[in-house]
Each structure stands twice: as C-alpha cells, then as structure tokens.
Amino acid sequence: MDVFALAEACIAATSVEDKLARSSEAAALVAIGDFATETSIEPEPIAQPGRPPRPRLVPPRELPQRGLGSAEGRAALVHAVAHIEFNAIDLAWDAVYRFREMPREYYRDWAKVAADETRHFRMLAERLAEMGHAYGDFDAHNGLWEMAVKTSRSCLERMALVPRVLEARGLDVTPGMIARLRDVGDANTIEILKVILGEEIAHVAAGSRWFAWCCAHDGVDADATFARLICEHASGALKPPFNEAARRAAGFSADELECLMAQSAA
Ligand SMILES: [Fe+2]
Ligand SMILES: [Fe+2]
C-alpha cells in the first residue's frame, strides 16, 4: 500500500462525495494495513486542495455575522463548522502526504484523525440538510488551508500551528457555541458539537505528541519553540477564554498555557 498516494488522492478529490468516500476508505486501509514510509520524494506544497465549486471563498472580513435567533443564522453556523471539518479532512491527509520518513504511528494517527473529520463533516452535512441547506450554500474563508501552505516545509511547524493552534481554537470556542445554541433551543446541533468537541481533544493531543517528537528529534526545547512559533505566526488566533481543561487533556503544559494567556493579553 502506498500511503502517500492514498493521501494525495483524498486531497485531490473535488466532489464532496468523492472526497468523503476516498477518505473513509483510505483511513480504514491505513488502520489495518502495512505500508512503507521510505521515499526520497519531497512533495511540493499544494496551493489548493480539490474542492467543489461552492462554497465561494472570501476574505474572513466579508463573512456576515449572523445571530442564532433566525433559522438562517443557525444554518450559517452549522455551515461554518462543516467547512472547518471539510478543510480538516484535507489537513489530516496533508499531514500524512507531506512529511515523509516519520514513524509509522504518525501516519496511523493522522489517518485516524482524517476518519474522524470525515464523520464530523457527514454529521454536519446531515444537520444542514435537515435545516433545508447544503454545503456550499454560504460563503466561507480559506484561512485553514493558508496555514497548511505556510507550514508545508516543516512537520514541527505544522504540528505546532495547525493542530495546536487552529484545532485547539475549536476546543476554546465550541463550549460558547453550545451555550448560544442552548439559548435558542437547538438540541440537535448541540448533540453533534458535543461529539465533535470530545473527539477534537484527541486530534490536538496527536499534534502535541508529534510536536514533542519533532522537537526531541531536532534537539530543540518544546516550550520555547512553541512560544516563538505562536508569536511569529499565530498571535491573532489566540483569544481568551481558553478551554484550559480540554487543552490540558490535549497535552498543553502549564508553561504553554501561561504563555498563551500572556500572549493573548499582550
Ligand atoms: Fe473535526
Ligand atoms: Fe480535528
């Protein structure tokens, strides 16, 4: 089995159904099969993964802020989370595809993450359908993939800035989303977000594990390196309140949590 070719095909798939089907199938193969990881190829960054013609991608500032009081506003929220999950499928496969010569467990971890993200997207797409909408109905932004391109040359930077900043941000904001949905009585969406929140802790934890592995491999101090990377690339993504319990469960050290609070207050 060529794990890199499987990952590349998932990233390249353009239709929603094709990407989901390939992703589930590839994740199942990686979970049970044997694969070689030795290769001399260093893949080029992928400027844009395969994606359907909609949603339209716009700068974040052009996305309207909608309240959750209306059915349209609630559907827009579900769509926004679905878009994150759709990107997360590509991000997980890109973690597999891009960084060669990592231990086998690394590829199994990110294939498992891809399987989770695929399931998260399906749950949200079903919820959107119940609301009379489909993925693509609202505009979206491309911030997640932009970070993938930025970190395409270094597994250490990818682990620090994608799972440990962007996915960890999901841990921080989801409890607030659940509270706002409770105010408007949307129990069905709340159930889905609870499942996602629980499972995302494991994704951030995988990021913590492989970030620590990369730091040990390169002989650099993990806390200092993380502090430098968030300062250089992601200070805008740090907004309190932080979900300290979830972040601790996902492998954030006391020093790192303190550093996040200090940076966000600066
Ligand atoms: Fe997810
Ligand atoms: Fe995730």
Side-chain angles (χ1 to χ4, degrees), residues 159-176:
M159 295 296 111
L161 295 170
V162 173
R164 303 196 86 223
V165 169
L166 300 182
E167 288 194 270
R169 176 100 188 114
L171 305 182
D172 297 335
V173 301
T174 306

Side-chain angles (χ1 to χ4, degrees), residues 135-185:
Y135 181 55
D137 283 1
F138 297 88
D139 291 346
H141 70 78
N142 201 31
L144 296 174
W145 194 259
E146 284 162 11
M147 189 62 105
V149 173
K150 215 171 175 182
T151 57
S152 56
R153 297 289 178 198
S154 158
C155 187
L156 184 154
E157 293 187 6
R158 171 67 61 86
M159 295 296 111
L161 295 170
V162 173
R164 303 196 86 223
V165 169
L166 300 182
E167 288 194 270
R169 176 100 188 114
L171 305 182
D172 297 335
V173 301
T174 306
M177 264 183 218
I178 289 173
R180 290 197 292 140
L181 287 165
R182 196 169 287 134
D183 290 343
V184 295

Side-chain angles (χ1 to χ4, degrees), residues 63-91:
L63 292 173
Q65 294 288 328
R66 295 182 177 89
L68 298 186
S70 69
E72 189 80 353
R74 291 191 290 281
L77 174 80
V78 173
H79 188 278
V81 182
H83 180 67
I84 290 171
E85 299 294 348
F86 196 76
N87 273 269
I89 298 170
D90 288 323
L91 286 166

